[in-house]
Amino acid sequence: MAEERIDVGGVAINAVTAGEGPLVLMIHGFPGLAWSWRHQMAPLADAGFKAVAIDSLGYGGSDRPADPALYDSDHMQRYLLAILDHYGAGTAFIVGQDFGAQYAWNLAVRAPDRVRALVATIPYDYDLAGRAMLGSAETLPPGTPPQPVMASADHPPSRRFAAMAAQHFLHFHYFQEVGPAERELGGNLAEFLKRDFFALSANGNLWNWLDVPSEGSGYLDALPPAPDLPWPWLSEAEFARFVEGYDHPDIMKRVIGGLNSYRTADANWEIGRAWADHDVTVPTLFVHGARDPSFGFFPEWRERMARRVPGLVDVVEIEGAGHFIQQEQPAAFNRALIDFLKSR
């Protein structure tokens, strides 16, 4: 595998590549790194593709600017298109997980001529906590207070987060303020990563926060302790690579990529208004873990995707996998991924 830093317009993105052939760009989420796609690199190369996995902005070997504005959906769109241009790819296969799926959906909607096909693992509409494929039309009477819901065309995300946080701890709300989360998570980096990885896995308990009050609580109060490593899908050495990738001399920048992605929610909601009624027409594979706890945010995802993703080719559910499907069940994920890419 080769590694390089790519200037994408004022900031640099770290990329890992393997193989030659049609480009497959893989975009991770939080917590994640290019290392999240370690099980996909060689199989894709062996199947005749050029695998490219990036450290998204704010992560790993990429630049880590503090300004949240540099992480909004318009900027992320430009960074990803610059990466395709760097490799001379007029079109590419785009694969996204967690926040990476958000960016992948956006690319498919806003630059469909550059997306040969889309593979996503999370049914984000196109913006974190945006409208969840509900469209741009407001549904509540004027003056209605923000509802404690994850997606809505009526109120910006931060106001809905606050309404939810009035009932129980919600990390979406906690992360909006600059400072507390940086110090808490950056100061307990290995413990945070271990707890978050486990909570989002097939055997975790992400929803523990429903029993945790917002007042006086941090994210580690809402994440149950995780069992000792190794786990069936994550060795001690693999986990150490994640910790090393997140570490930074400045504690405020250790998890800045993830935190700033949450802090762009309102900006993305505004940007996304112009795209909220657009459907996803590019060929799309939706592959997800049967035990992904994050799907509690998307109770009607099947019905909404059927309406709003006319390019949907298949939905593949993988048993024994949670949120980190490509790591928890790599053989099954790779089989679905490569079969789909070859069919395109």
Side-chain angles (χ1 to χ4, degrees):
M1 290 190 291
E3 190 166 358
E4 62 179 322
R5 280 169 54 86
I6 303 169
D7 185 338
V8 295
V11 293
I13 297 294
N14 191 59
V16 180
T17 67
E20 293 297 334
L23 187 71
V24 182
L25 177 62
M26 294 175 285
I27 316 164
H28 67 82
F30 182 54
L33 295 168
W35 180 240
S36 302
W37 304 100
R38 61 196 176 280
H39 300 299
Q40 284 68 56
M41 300 298 289
L44 282 169
D46 291 344
F49 297 95
K50 183 178 184 68
V52 178
I54 62 169
D55 289 327
S56 198
L57 188 69
Y59 298 81
S62 295
D63 285 350
R64 303 193 191 194
D67 184 1
L70 297 177
Y71 295 76
D72 71 24
S73 60
D74 278 350
H75 283 83
M76 293 304 303
Q77 182 92 349
R78 291 198 290 270
Y79 303 152
L80 296 177
L81 291 175
I83 291 168
L84 301 190
D85 292 342
H86 173 80
Y87 291 111
T91 63
F93 297 107
I94 309 297
V95 185
Q97 186 264 337
D98 190 77
F99 279 121
Q102 172 192 343
Y103 308 141
W105 285 115
N106 273 334
L107 202 63
V109 171
R110 302 174 191 181
D113 58 314
R114 304 297 302 272
V115 180
R116 184 166 172 177
L118 167 70
V119 180
T121 69
I122 291 293
Y124 286 160
D125 50 332
Y126 321 120
D127 305 296
L128 170 68
R131 296 168 180 84
M133 296 179 275
L134 293 172
S136 62
E138 297 183 8
T139 61
L140 297 176
T144 302
Q147 304 299 297
V149 294
M150 188 54 64
S152 172
D154 297 284
H155 295 100
S158 65
R159 297 186 67 193
R160 290 182 268 115
F161 298 162
M164 296 170 75
Q167 301 174 343
H168 53 73
F169 181 85
L170 182 72
H171 65 289
F172 292 79
H173 175 70
Y174 174 64
F175 290 165
Q176 295 303 305
E177 182 183 353
V178 175
E182 279 91 343
R183 289 186 287 270
E184 181 199 11
L185 306 185
N188 300 278
L189 188 57
E191 185 65 19
F192 157 64
L193 289 173
K194 186 168 75 167
R195 290 192 187 196
D196 209 29
F197 275 131
F198 192 75
L200 283 159
S201 72
N203 296 316
N205 179 18
L206 178 69
W207 295 90
N208 182 70
W209 69 53
L210 295 176
D211 297 321
V212 177
S214 290
E215 187 66 30
S217 299
Y219 196 25
L220 291 179
D221 297 311
L223 290 172
D228 291 338
L229 292 159
W231 306 331
W233 62 275
L234 188 65
S235 71
E236 293 178 83
E238 288 173 319
F239 178 72
R241 285 286 296 271
F242 280 111
V243 176
E244 179 184 5
Y246 272 84
D247 201 10
H248 191 278
D250 184 351
I251 191 174
M252 300 296 284
K253 292 189 173 182
R254 288 177 183 167
V255 292
I256 193 65
L259 296 180
N260 273 349
S261 294
Y262 285 95
R263 291 167 186 158
T264 62
D266 281 1
N268 288 348
W269 189 81
E270 293 295 344
I271 293 168
R273 189 187 307 276
W275 303 95
D277 298 310
H278 286 61
D279 293 337
V280 183
T281 59
V282 304
T284 299
L285 171 67
F286 189 71
V287 53
H288 68 98
R291 300 182 63 184
D292 187 335
S294 74
F295 274 51
F297 291 124
F298 314 104
E300 299 175 355
W301 67 269
R302 290 183 184 273
E303 295 84 352
R304 294 180 189 176
M305 284 186 66
R307 293 196 306 267
R308 300 299 306 276
V309 189
L312 187 64
V313 174
D314 198 7
V315 175
V316 177
E317 181 176 276
I318 295 181
E319 294 295 331
H323 196 59
F324 305 106
I325 182 173
Q326 81 276 33
Q327 300 179 71
E328 295 181 67
Q329 295 293 337
F333 179 83
N334 291 350
R335 186 163 51 249
L337 172 66
I338 292 171
D339 285 351
F340 175 70
L341 299 184
K342 285 186 171 182
S343 74
R344 297 295 109 194

